[in-house]
Amino acid sequence: MPPRSTHVADKFDDDDYPAYTMGRAAEMLGTTPAFLRTLGEHRLITPLRSEGGHRRYSRYQLRIAARARELVDAGTQIEAACRIIILEDQLEEAQRINEELRARANGPQPEAPA
């Protein structure tokens, strides 16, 4: 038996690996393929394409789509739901950058003489 590649096992833990077909993704989310296509049209998620041109979704993308589905189910229009999620993501990134900049600006403080 040939040795197993660690690269294959790594794919199971990779949130960005495009493991799910459109049909399977829609089934997991309890939605339709049209819903997923609409999320793509609004640039919320951009699925990778298989060699045959079929859309493939990652676990990370499915979590984003699930968030959009929650907002739509609560009565938010799909266009607004996509924009809300994009803005939330941008805000989170800006906050992360601000924290990094503050940490750098404050840096290690010299110890006071005893």
Side-chain angles (χ1 to χ4, degrees):
M1 183 175 226
R4 292 184 183 186
S5 168
T6 57
H7 299 293
V8 174
D10 291 343
K11 292 177 183 177
F12 291 115
D13 295 326
D14 185 355
D15 271 356
D16 295 318
Y17 181 72
Y20 303 96
T21 63
M22 176 179 276
R24 181 69 179 127
E27 179 184 318
M28 290 171 67
L29 294 168
T31 189
T32 64
F35 179 79
L36 292 171
R37 281 191 294 274
T38 301
L39 296 181
E41 290 167 9
H42 291 290
R43 299 181 185 194
L44 182 61
I45 56 176
T46 304
L48 292 175
R49 298 284 182 148
S50 68
E51 288 182 18
H54 300 282
R55 290 174 178 90
R56 304 286 295 194
Y57 296 89
S58 68
R59 289 188 305 196
Y60 175 74
Q61 290 171 326
L62 293 184
R63 283 195 297 273
I64 293 170
R67 174 71 177 123
R69 168 110 198 263
E70 289 172 1
L71 290 170
V72 169
D73 287 350
T76 306
Q77 292 183 358
I78 195 163
E79 297 85 4
C82 291
R83 188 70 182 136
I84 288 167
I85 294 167
I86 290 167
L87 290 170
E88 287 174 341
D89 187 52
Q90 289 173 348
L91 175 60
E92 184 178 309
E93 178 68 8
Q95 289 172 332
R96 185 190 61 75
I97 290 169
N98 280 340
E99 287 177 21
E100 287 177 5
L101 292 173
R102 281 190 192 113
R104 264 193 240 155
N106 293 333
Q109 301 297 319
E111 292 185 28

